[in-house]
Amino acid sequence: MSSPVIAWRAAISLWVNRNRKWILSGPAIAFIVLLLVIPLGYTLYLSFTDAGSSLRASFHFTGLGNYTNVLTDTRRFWPAVYRTVLFTVGAVSVEMLLGAAIALLLRREFRGQGIVRVIILMPLVATPVAVAMLWRLIFEPTIGFANEFLRFFGLPGSEWLSSPSTALPTLMFIDVWQWTPMVALLLLAGLTTVPEEPEEAARVDGANVFQRFWFVTLPLMRSVVFAALILRSVEAFKTFDILYATKGAGGGSMHEAETINIYAYGINFSDNRYGLASAVLVVFFIMVLVLVTLQIVARRRGQ
């Protein structure tokens, strides 16, 4: 082999060795740029324009006009923000409590434990749209199983998803039914890492079950609890499929289940006001960032 070829290969090997961190991380960086940075950048660009009816049509720069319209919209935007926060806080709070209870029950060995775990985790494998259609049939006011069950015990039926006053709580129940298993799974994984010695020492000292959980077990798995809380909070904040599959565009006739995602979808695909919808999505993105930042700060202060 000639010396120029050997020198060329040596130079290539040296360059690869010096830049291996960029070569190895290059595909991940390209993936993030293509699927995250470019769409976010284009959405941010559209939010400052009056784009509408068609993206091929000419549009003009309007500055902060769309943001002014969004932030001063007290008829639909701020009520949608309120419903989004209410849905997230209500659903995630119940999911954390039930998930912790289920994880504590599954922590102990008992006969048929594997079958019970499979049954509890079944809602997690169903697609959100299928879950929404299932519960839509169950909560149907005239022929649904829920009202038939109540009438069997002599109780009055409810309109469930059909009523503006009960639609959002019913949707929160559906979200709890589907995602509590995931919280239980995460907390159960955290419980398996907790050593038994501190809990045994607390039991010897006379602590009851609640005291052992609150003062011993919970502090030891605080990082797992925060991870589950952050994951579920962000996902619940962004919930779209269940709400849209059950209530449709606009979140119902009186917008009773219209969250920020449903509101932005309606503006974009029903009204074709792309600039305004982009501004809503940018504001929503900032809200998600603030939510995550607050939870991370709270976790660090807790540590």
Side-chain angles (χ1 to χ4, degrees):
M1 187 176 293
S2 61
S3 59
V5 174
I6 296 175
W8 179 77
R9 287 185 176 180
I12 292 292
S13 177
L14 182 62
W15 182 86
V16 170
N17 189 45
R18 285 178 177 174
N19 298 278
R20 60 182 183 277
K21 63 180 180 181
W22 298 111
I23 295 173
L24 295 175
S25 60
I29 294 174
F31 178 82
I32 292 173
V33 170
L34 287 175
L35 297 184
L36 187 63
V37 175
I38 292 177
L40 280 176
Y42 190 61
T43 301
L44 183 63
Y45 166 69
L46 284 180
S47 69
F48 293 107
T49 69
D50 60 352
S53 67
S54 172
L55 286 178
R56 294 183 178 181
S58 61
F59 49 83
H60 307 89
F61 183 75
T62 58
L64 297 175
N66 287 327
Y67 290 95
T68 303
N69 292 334
V70 168
L71 296 177
T72 57
D73 181 8
T74 58
R75 189 177 68 87
R76 290 185 62 181
F77 176 73
W78 286 110
V81 172
Y82 169 73
R83 293 187 204 97
T84 305
V85 174
L86 183 63
F87 178 86
T88 302
V89 173
V92 174
S93 299
V94 178
E95 288 164 13
M96 294 299 295
L97 291 174
L98 290 179
I102 294 172
L104 289 171
L105 290 174
L106 294 179
R107 184 188 185 188
R108 304 295 181 187
E109 296 289 338
F110 60 89
R111 190 174 184 181
Q113 187 182 40
I115 297 175
V116 173
R117 285 188 180 185
V118 171
I119 293 174
I120 290 176
L121 294 177
M122 283 182 68
L124 193 60
V125 300
T127 61
V129 174
V131 170
M133 299 310 295
L134 168 69
W135 284 102
R136 191 175 174 180
L137 289 174
I138 292 175
F139 286 129
E140 209 284 328
T142 55
I143 60 172
F145 173 77
N147 278 350
E148 291 294 331
F149 182 78
L150 292 176
R151 292 189 190 105
F152 179 79
F153 292 99
L155 299 174
S158 172
E159 295 186 0
W160 304 111
L161 293 167
S162 303
S163 171
S165 61
T166 57
L168 198 60
T170 305
L171 289 166
M172 290 162 60
F173 170 82
I174 297 174
D175 191 84
V176 168
W177 179 84
Q178 184 175 25
W179 293 111
T180 295
M182 191 194 80
V183 176
L185 198 64
L186 291 172
L187 298 182
L188 182 61
L191 280 173
T192 58
T193 64
V194 175
E196 296 183 359
E197 289 79 5
E199 192 171 352
E200 289 296 331
R203 183 183 287 110
V204 171
D205 291 339
N208 57 35
V209 174
F210 176 77
Q211 289 172 331
R212 292 200 301 272
F213 172 74
W214 187 257
F215 294 108
V216 179
T217 306
L218 190 59
L220 289 174
M221 54 182 297
R222 183 179 297 157
S223 58
V224 179
V225 172
F226 268 108
L229 183 63
I230 291 174
L231 284 174
R232 272 312 299 149
S233 298
V234 173
E235 285 299 318
F237 208 69
K238 298 187 303 179
T239 298
F240 174 82
D241 29 30
I242 287 180
L243 303 177
Y244 186 81
T246 52
K247 299 297 293 181
S253 57
M254 299 179 65
H255 309 299
E256 62 269 17
E258 186 180 62
T259 58
I260 304 176
N261 263 338
I262 300 294
Y263 175 60
Y265 181 88
I267 295 174
N268 198 55
F269 293 102
S270 299
D271 303 340
N272 294 329
R273 301 168 69 184
Y274 307 127
L276 185 64
S278 299
V280 173
L281 292 175
V282 171
V283 173
F284 185 47
F285 180 71
I286 293 172
M287 289 179 178
V288 174
L289 286 182
V290 170
L291 173 66
V292 174
T293 303
L294 288 176
Q295 290 182 339
I296 291 176
V297 170
R299 184 184 66 174
R300 289 180 177 174
R301 287 186 176 180
Q303 290 174 342

